[in-house]
Amino acid sequence: MNKENLCSLGMGLAFAMMLAVGAKAQASADVSIANTPSPNPATIRKNLTFGMNVINNGPDRATGVRVINRLPAGMTLVSANFNFIGKPATACVVVGTMITCNIGTLDVGAQAGAAVFIVVSPQAIGVVVDTANVVANEADPDTSNNSATAQTTTQASVSDPVVVDPNLVVGQVVTGLTEPTSMVFLADGDFLVLEKSTGKVKRVVGGTVQSTVLDLGVNSAQERGLLGIALHPDFANNGFVYLYWTCHGAPAGPECDSLFGEDTAVTANVPLLGNRVDRFHWNGSLLIYDKNLIRLHAYQADAGQPLRGNHNCGKIAFGLDGKLYVCVGDNGRRGWMQNITTGFGPDGKDDQFGGPEPDNAHLTGAILRLNDDGSTPEDNPFVDVELPPGTSAEAAANIAKVFSYGLRNSFGLAFDPWTGQLWESENGDDSGSEINRIEAGANGGWTQIMGLINHIEDYKAIETSPQYFGLQQIRWLPTLIADSADDALGRLFMLPGAFYNDPLFTWKYAVDPAGLGFIEGDGLGAQFNGDMIIGGARDFLLGGHLFRFKLTDDRMDLDLSGDSQLAGRRAENNDKWDITGSESLLFGRGFGITTDIVTAPNGHLCVVSLTNGAVYEIFRRP
């Protein structure tokens, strides 16, 4: 090769190297940050979280990514950390009031993003403004999204529950209870109340605990325990009382150790079918065991995940038709009743116990309708319908018990005393908390749909964001959520005669509704008669909120006409436990976790608070 060729080759190589260096120098990454406060509004001396999504929108990988946040004035830092989807949290660096989260490398896309959580405790009433910034080593083509400001207000702590209307007063009926969950009146001033973790049914007369009329041996881990109670419609003559509760036993064993005995909060110590509905007889002073009506799934042990004891629901109620309605949450299952037809375990099974068909070990995520002796009513919506080939006799018998399915988890279930319509409040995971009126054959859509079907894109975006990624079980990731309403509807598991039931109201982000009940009569004033009251399953928002919904004249729908923000049947809140968009619904605050709402014979509205260990009454100011 001559000198000219060598020179040309050398120049070519040099030019290529210059291009490569130039290309490297021109690498760019559009890093962005979002910042939202939760709860909103916040409470002084209670935790306030600024949750941030940090995403690299490309086109190149981002390196040296770091979030810088200066602690707002008047805040005490509780913790500051960040994590990637499915990874443990890493602590941020704190120097004085400066917080630096050294995230490092971010690939392109939301699923490669990071979530930052800065938890503070406000020390004064006022406005809190927090600004976070994100930077990276690469050039950023859009610097407008490198900074995000979150603003909220802080309010005084609520030492006692209060209601918004100044004409109403809150009083204490009884206090000192241990995690009360449900109540029923025997007579005016005389009621039974359940304690979740002690397994005790206590009788309260004239505001004083008179006696313990039953003491069951419960497993109370997480959301298990003594949960629901209902009186037979002919209770005055037959004395039948029904209880939904979780017994204890060997992990995934076949039977309860005993109906009575010691209580436990060990998550593993529960039989596979540890949730049960039993009938008892009231003899005037004690509840005497009569028979078991049904046993339901309670044991959650999924590969690669911690043991769980949640999503049991546990509410039971008699309808005007004389049938017993039993609510069981999804218990983390992913089978037919959750609108998933293919299991994710070995051989296409749902889990180590089988599935995905709803045999005894997989009957979850549904409202069941039973005769008062536990048998199946002949007019249930799915009796004798055509089922997929190969469906077992056990699963077919369980499907015949189903009134409605596609339910995630609920803490509120009640019948409208005027129409007999069934109403339910349902918890979303991170999005789409719902208020539903449920008719025979309704499919609520979970897990394919949560919230309003025309907002399916929000459901997917929220659940796949770095801040919230996951739907509890890793066997069905949120990336599987449909991208369109038509696609989501097409994926539903529809039994013959079933129909998709869109909620009547939702929140964009979860607010976790809980106990649900109706105001019966003019005891609080004629303007409240017939209204539906819904409590909170967390006390993060206003110390435990109550929401009030008015119904339309025919009582088949919610009357949302008084607030233009509610016209789309959704509150456009900014994050979980954020009241934005539903301020007009606020009825009370400071009630803690509200597990039951009942109108007393005297016309007062009784509110059961699990966290406050109390039953409150709301009545008109004298």
Side-chain angles (χ1 to χ4, degrees):
M1 183 177 290
N2 58 36
K3 287 185 177 181
E4 288 79 4
N5 288 338
L6 284 172
C7 184
S8 297
L9 178 62
M11 291 177 65
L13 290 172
F15 183 65
M17 291 178 64
M18 289 175 64
L19 287 176
V21 171
K24 185 175 181 181
Q26 292 171 11
S28 65
D30 174 19
V31 290
S32 64
I33 187 168
N35 188 6
T36 51
S38 180
N40 181 23
T43 304
I44 61 171
R45 292 182 291 279
K46 293 286 186 70
N47 283 0
L48 165 63
T49 300
F50 292 103
M52 306 168 197
N53 281 337
V54 183
I55 297 173
N56 174 17
N57 303 297
D60 300 314
R61 173 183 288 190
T63 63
V65 179
R66 56 201 182 277
V67 170
I68 302 167
N69 185 275
R70 184 177 293 278
L71 194 67
M75 299 291 114
T76 298
L77 181 65
V78 176
S79 63
N81 56 62
F82 68 92
N83 67 276
F84 300 95
I85 292 171
K87 304 293 184 182
T90 300
C92 301
V93 177
V94 181
V95 179
T97 61
M98 186 64 70
I99 302 168
T100 304
C101 303
N102 295 306
I103 293 171
T105 300
L106 285 182
D107 288 327
V108 179
Q111 292 178 45
V116 176
F117 299 95
I118 297 177
V119 183
V120 299
S121 176
Q123 300 301 303
I125 297 172
V127 177
V128 180
V129 178
D130 179 79
T131 299
N133 297 282
V134 62
V135 295
N137 292 338
E138 288 69 27
D140 196 319
D142 181 6
T143 58
S144 66
N145 55 16
N146 294 162
S147 179
T149 298
Q151 179 172 311
T152 185
T153 58
T154 56
Q155 301 184 357
S157 296
V158 180
S159 57
D160 296 306
V162 295
V163 287
V164 172
D165 193 310
N167 295 311
L168 301 179
V169 179
V170 181
Q172 294 180 346
V173 179
V174 62
T175 59
L177 301 173
T178 303
E179 295 185 307
T181 55
S182 295
M183 64 180 293
V184 290
F185 276 92
L186 302 176
D188 190 10
D190 184 355
F191 61 87
L192 303 178
V193 61
L194 313 185
E195 291 187 336
K196 174 185 180 295
S197 54
T198 70
K200 293 179 179 179
V201 182
K202 292 185 174 180
R203 186 180 187 184
V204 177
V205 181
T208 301
V209 176
Q210 186 183 78
S211 60
T212 296
V213 302
L214 178 68
D215 188 356
L216 296 167
V218 298
N219 183 306
S220 63
Q222 297 183 9
E223 295 169 10
R224 299 176 186 149
L226 182 51
L227 304 176
I229 185 170
L231 300 184
H232 192 283
D234 196 26
F235 170 78
N237 294 314
N238 61 31
F240 286 148
V241 178
Y242 296 75
L243 297 176
Y244 184 124
W245 64 291
T246 314
C247 67
H248 58 76
E255 300 289 344
C256 303
D257 288 345
S258 170
L259 297 185
F260 310 103
E262 294 296 322
D263 305 314
T264 181
V266 178
T267 307
N269 291 351
V270 68
L272 180 60
L273 303 182
N275 284 325
R276 50 190 293 148
V277 178
D278 293 311
R279 187 169 75 183
F280 295 81
H281 181 263
W282 173 246
N283 67 5
S285 58
L286 295 172
L287 287 175
I288 309 301
Y289 176 76
D290 178 59
K291 67 174 296 185
N292 172 254
L293 274 69
I294 194 169
R295 296 190 301 147
L296 298 165
H297 184 278
Y299 181 77
Q300 297 184 57
D302 292 283
Q305 296 186 240
L307 291 169
R308 284 187 171 93
N310 62 347
H311 295 192
N312 304 283
C313 191
K315 287 298 181 182
I316 58 176
F318 273 96
L320 298 185
D321 57 4
K323 307 302 182 183
L324 179 65
Y325 292 73
V326 178
C327 176
V328 55
D330 73 358
N331 254 218
R333 301 279 48 81
R334 296 293 179 262
W336 290 2
M337 299 294 95
Q338 290 78 52
N339 289 290
I340 298 173
T341 55
T342 302
F344 293 87
D347 303 321
K349 302 299 184 182
D350 177 32
D351 59 15
Q352 66 270 45
F353 305 108
E357 65 174 17
D359 54 25
N360 287 345
H362 300 86
L363 179 56
T364 59
I367 296 173
L368 311 178
R369 181 175 182 260
L370 307 175
N371 290 320
D372 64 353
D373 61 357
S375 60
T376 302
E378 294 181 356
D379 59 346
N380 272 4
F382 306 121
V383 171
D384 296 329
V385 298
E386 184 177 354
L387 299 174
T391 302
S392 69
E394 185 174 276
N398 286 335
I399 289 172
K401 295 180 173 68
V402 170
F403 181 77
S404 171
Y405 64 103
L407 177 148
R408 182 178 181 271
N409 192 46
S410 174
F411 297 106
L413 190 77
F415 284 95
D416 184 337
W418 286 269
T419 65
Q421 291 290 311
L422 179 61
W423 290 81
E424 178 249 4
S425 62
E426 189 164 342
N427 282 244
D429 188 53
D430 299 301
S431 63
S433 293
E434 300 179 354
I435 308 300
N436 295 292
R437 182 175 60 82
I438 299 178
E439 295 184 343
N443 180 346
W446 174 258
T447 59
Q448 304 287 355
I449 304 166
M450 196 74 208
L452 293 164
I453 183 62
N454 62 342
H455 289 293
I456 190 74
E457 71 282 356
D458 284 340
Y459 170 43
K460 185 167 187 174
I462 292 169
E463 302 298 351
T464 56
S465 69
Q467 186 175 347
Y468 293 122
F469 191 93
L471 292 170
Q472 178 167 315
Q473 298 296 348
I474 61 176
R475 286 177 290 107
W476 202 85
L477 294 174
T479 50
L480 297 173
I481 297 170
D483 293 315
S484 70
D486 288 343
D487 190 11
L489 292 171
R491 297 182 185 185
L492 297 179
F493 174 70
M494 300 302 287
L495 289 165
F499 63 94
Y500 170 65
N501 189 55
D502 216 22
L504 295 178
F505 188 78
T506 71
W507 287 261
K508 180 179 179 180
Y509 287 87
V511 296
D512 293 347
L516 179 156
F518 293 90
I519 300 175
E520 301 179 48
D522 296 340
L524 276 64
Q527 68 272 33
F528 295 102
N529 186 20
D531 291 351
M532 182 170 62
I533 306 298
I534 297 175
R538 297 287 187 271
D539 59 0
F540 304 149
L541 179 58
L542 298 171
H545 61 275
L546 295 180
F547 285 132
R548 172 194 176 198
F549 288 88
K550 299 189 74 64
L551 272 62
T552 54
D553 290 343
D554 63 1
R555 303 192 63 80
M556 300 296 282
D557 199 354
L558 301 174
D559 182 358
L560 305 173
S561 60
D563 185 349
S564 60
Q565 293 186 102
L566 310 179
R569 294 188 179 274
R570 188 171 83 154
E572 300 294 331
N573 55 345
N574 301 309
D575 202 358
K576 297 175 72 172
W577 308 299
D578 178 357
I579 199 172
T580 301
S582 55
E583 296 92 339
S584 64
L585 300 176
L586 186 65
F587 182 67
R589 61 192 183 102
F591 285 86
I593 295 176
T594 301
T595 45
D596 206 3
I597 297 173
V598 179
T599 296
N602 65 1
H604 295 180
L605 188 68
C606 289
V607 178
V608 180
S609 174
L610 180 136
T611 43
N612 295 356
V615 177
Y616 300 106
E617 61 178 346
I618 301 172
F619 53 95
R620 192 161 185 82
R621 186 180 299 278

